């Protein structure tokens, strides 16, 4: 069975996180599962193994979020991220 992944943005795209919209973050890749060198026990506690993650970085610090967070807590513009962050504070 062949599957095609549809990625929300190209690698190299700038995105903004709702929890820190001030700083632009560059998409550096995508992954499914644990990264090499990532603590296996910590990964099992915090992440799901079969989920596609978007990887992004700013100033040498990298982060990742499930792709399903795109449009919820990860956005293409600072303004969207600020509005998204305001919505999450309400709930």
């Amino acid at each position: 069975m062949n599957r095609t992944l549809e990625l929300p943005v190209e690698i190299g795209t700038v995105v903004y996180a709702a929890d820190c919209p001030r700083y632009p973050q560059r998409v550096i890749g995508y992954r499914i599962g644990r990264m090499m060198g990532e603590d296996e026990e910590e990964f099992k506690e915090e992440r799901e193994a079969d989920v596609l993650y978007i990887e992004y970085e700013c100033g040498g610090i990298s982060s990742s979020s499930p792709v399903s967070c795109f449009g919820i807590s990860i956005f293409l513009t600072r303004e969207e991220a600020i509005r998204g962050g305001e919505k999450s504070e309400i709930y």
Side-chain angles (χ1 to χ4, degrees), residues 15-87:
V15 296
Y16 296 85
D19 63 349
C20 190
R22 183 177 190 185
Y23 301 103
Q25 303 190 54
R26 188 160 309 276
V27 175
I28 58 173
Y30 292 89
R31 68 179 168 100
I32 297 174
R34 185 171 67 92
M35 288 177 48
M36 291 279 288
E38 190 172 19
D39 182 80
E40 189 171 355
E41 293 302 317
E42 187 176 310
F43 178 83
K44 287 179 182 176
E45 292 174 8
E46 298 177 3
R47 309 287 179 147
E48 296 179 46
D50 295 336
V51 173
L52 178 64
Y53 288 89
I54 184 171
E55 299 281 328
Y56 46 90
E57 70 93 23
C58 176
I61 299 172
S62 62
S63 300
S64 65
S65 297
V67 168
S68 61
C69 289
F70 203 82
I72 297 170
S73 60
I74 306 295
F75 301 91
L76 287 175
T77 68
R78 180 177 285 129
E79 293 75 22
E80 289 175 311
I82 290 168
R83 286 194 305 270
E86 290 169 354
K87 287 179 186 176

